[in-house]
Amino acid sequence: MLALVMLINRAGSMVLPFLGVYMTGYLHFSIENSGIILSFFGIGSVLGSWLGGLITDKIGEYRVQSLSLLLSVPLFCLIPLFKTEVGLAAIILIQSIVSETFRPANSVAITKYAKPENITRAFSLNRMAVNLGFSIGPALGGILSAISYEFLFFTNALAALLAGLMYIKFFGKRNKQASLKPKKVKEAVAVKKENSPYRDGKFLLYSFFCMLFSICFFQLFSTLTIFYKDTAHLSQQSIGYILGYSGFLIVLLEMGFVQVAEKYFSLAFTLFIGTVLCGVSYVMLAFDYSVLTLVVSMTLLCIGEIWTLPFISTITALRSGENNKGAYMGLNGISVALAFIITPYVGTMTADRFGFNMLWIGTGIVAVAIAAGFYFVIPWMLKKREIKS
């Protein structure tokens, strides 16, 4: 049910990939200013991840997810009313804060309902729902945006409303039952104090590498779509189809590829090879942008994503304790959210001043360095724990 709620929510998540195109093509903002505005989504993501992690450990994941989904509805409807750079940056910041509080709470819910031996597959199932929604959303978004950009925002609002109502209906009773557990159990849990992730040096280093990886990977949502439009000369519908293909491919391959990694690879090697593949997928674009190359590049990016993102969550869960999972998930979410601040600005600025070729080659070089960092940091961080996924 968590995955189904996520599927409905993400099926409406067609705004973000098209925000760059919306600002440059419809509102006629410059590429660099569009990147700055997209960075406000990242600032909101950082604040939302921090806030979500903080309040999840205090009021529970049920209330945080319910509030996040329902409050997102009016905010999505307000976005098309803001036509200036300052106004759009402000509403995107507020909407991002509200929507991103959902992520740490959702991750905690997964660790709560999944069996320990199935935790990576549970994260993968949830990501499959995300990507199935993402395969539907952008494909539909490309069609709708060609008619009217307002349809994108209103569809997002409708999807958030449906997801929120379904989540409340299914998990409302379960949350009440959990709150009726004997107080002694709660008191026993409260006595056990665990370290803050903000004082965990090894985890901070690991989260730093997660941030760097996210800076490379999340160009998918900012500079890559602008590249498709301006350099590869794809139509909005075609951009939607190739993004939809990426989500559909992950749905088809993820569970199988995750099981292969769990059976044959260590966590360190899995993140190493996944990060390298993401880097290679971007480097390819510096040398050719025919349709075949774009499809092969996106395929490699999808495989790299499969062998990176779900395992990042698994490693975070392994490092955390029983009573501070929200804080750990929140901090790791912040490291990822920081990329939404840095990536749009650095990516669009590099593309504007030095060209997309320099951007893609630089991304590949950085990705290889990150892969090496993962390979050595993860066994060091988990050396006394299970380091086979």
Side-chain angles (χ1 to χ4, degrees):
M1 284 302 297
L2 279 172
L4 183 58
V5 169
M6 183 66 79
L7 168 62
I8 296 171
N9 187 30
R10 294 306 172 187
S13 293
M14 58 187 73
V15 169
L16 185 57
F18 287 95
L19 270 178
V21 177
Y22 170 69
M23 288 185 287
T24 57
Y26 182 74
L27 297 179
H28 305 294
F29 297 166
S30 69
I31 292 178
E32 190 167 341
N33 286 344
S34 298
I36 294 171
I37 295 169
L38 285 172
S39 294
F40 278 85
F41 178 88
I43 295 170
S45 296
V46 171
L47 296 174
S49 295
W50 170 78
L51 183 62
L54 180 68
I55 62 178
T56 294
D57 287 334
K58 296 192 176 193
I59 68 173
E61 84 285 345
Y62 171 77
R63 290 181 182 176
V64 175
Q65 290 183 88
S66 301
L67 288 170
S68 175
L69 290 170
L70 295 181
L71 290 175
S72 293
V73 176
L75 291 172
F76 276 124
C77 294
L78 288 173
I79 291 176
L81 300 178
F82 292 84
K83 306 291 187 182
T84 65
E85 293 171 346
V86 174
L88 191 58
I91 191 64
I92 286 174
L93 173 67
I94 296 169
Q95 192 281 326
S96 179
I97 291 172
V98 171
S99 65
E100 290 303 304
T101 58
F102 180 85
R103 288 183 179 272
N106 183 256
S107 296
V108 170
I110 292 170
T111 62
K112 175 180 175 180
Y113 291 108
K115 295 178 181 179
E117 63 271 18
N118 290 335
I119 192 165
T120 300
R121 274 169 279 182
F123 278 114
S124 294
L125 177 63
N126 211 45
R127 273 179 34 74
M128 273 183 58
V130 171
N131 284 289
L132 182 57
F134 192 66
S135 67
I136 298 168
L140 183 60
I143 297 170
L144 293 178
S145 67
I147 304 169
S148 169
Y149 277 104
E150 280 77 5
F151 285 141
L152 274 75
F153 303 112
F154 295 141
T155 303
N156 253 24
L158 178 61
L161 178 61
L162 290 175
L165 293 176
M166 178 174 287
Y167 178 78
I168 291 168
K169 182 173 178 58
F170 187 83
F171 286 98
K173 279 187 181 180
R174 286 158 179 79
N175 184 63
K176 287 180 181 178
Q177 289 169 357
S179 67
L180 295 175
K181 287 182 180 179
K183 290 184 179 179
K184 289 183 179 178
V185 175
K186 292 185 179 179
E187 288 169 0
V189 170
V191 168
K192 185 180 178 183
K193 291 186 178 180
E194 291 169 331
N195 291 330
S196 165
Y198 296 92
R199 292 193 294 269
D200 186 343
K202 293 179 180 179
F203 185 73
L204 288 171
L205 181 59
Y206 166 72
S207 294
F208 175 70
F209 282 116
C210 291
M211 181 193 72
L212 294 179
F213 168 77
S214 300
I215 290 171
C216 295
F217 175 76
F218 286 129
Q219 290 180 98
L220 172 67
F221 299 114
S222 53
T223 47
L224 187 60
T225 52
I226 296 174
F227 171 79
Y228 284 161
K229 182 77 173 176
D230 293 349
T231 303
H233 304 296
L234 297 183
S235 66
Q236 288 166 217
Q237 291 95 326
S238 297
I239 294 171
Y241 292 147
I242 197 167
L243 293 177
Y245 162 77
S246 72
F248 181 69
L249 187 67
I250 290 173
V251 170
L252 288 179
L253 301 180
E254 178 148 345
M255 295 303 285
F257 274 58
V258 164
Q259 289 187 22
V260 167
E262 288 181 323
K263 188 173 182 180
Y264 297 108
F265 302 159
S266 68
L267 285 170
F269 182 75
T270 301
L271 263 71
F272 174 84
I273 192 66
T275 304
V276 168
L277 286 174
C278 288
V280 170
S281 73
Y282 282 115
V283 170
M284 289 177 63
L285 302 177
F287 300 97
D288 184 37
Y289 44 86
S290 64
V291 173
L292 178 61
T293 301
L294 296 181
V295 171
V296 172
S297 170
M298 184 58 75
T299 302
L300 292 179
L301 186 63
C302 290
I303 296 172
E305 178 185 350
I306 289 170
W307 278 343
T308 308
L309 292 185
F311 292 94
I312 282 176
S313 299
T314 300
I315 292 165
T316 302
L318 288 173
R319 184 67 180 176
S320 66
E322 286 298 320
N323 308 310
N324 58 4
K325 288 189 186 297
Y328 267 84
M329 291 296 181
L331 175 55
N332 193 248
I334 288 171
S335 71
V336 174
L338 282 170
F340 281 109
I341 301 174
I342 300 167
T343 303
Y345 179 69
V346 172
T348 53
M349 182 187 69
T350 303
D352 201 31
R353 298 184 182 181
F354 304 103
F356 278 106
N357 287 358
M358 183 66 70
L359 174 64
W360 303 141
I361 292 172
T363 298
I365 294 170
V366 172
V368 171
I370 298 163
F374 276 140
Y375 190 76
F376 290 105
V377 166
I378 292 169
W380 175 56
M381 185 176 68
L382 301 178
K383 62 183 176 182
K384 292 186 179 179
R385 307 185 188 208
E386 192 77 30
I387 63 171
K388 291 288 285 185
S389 60

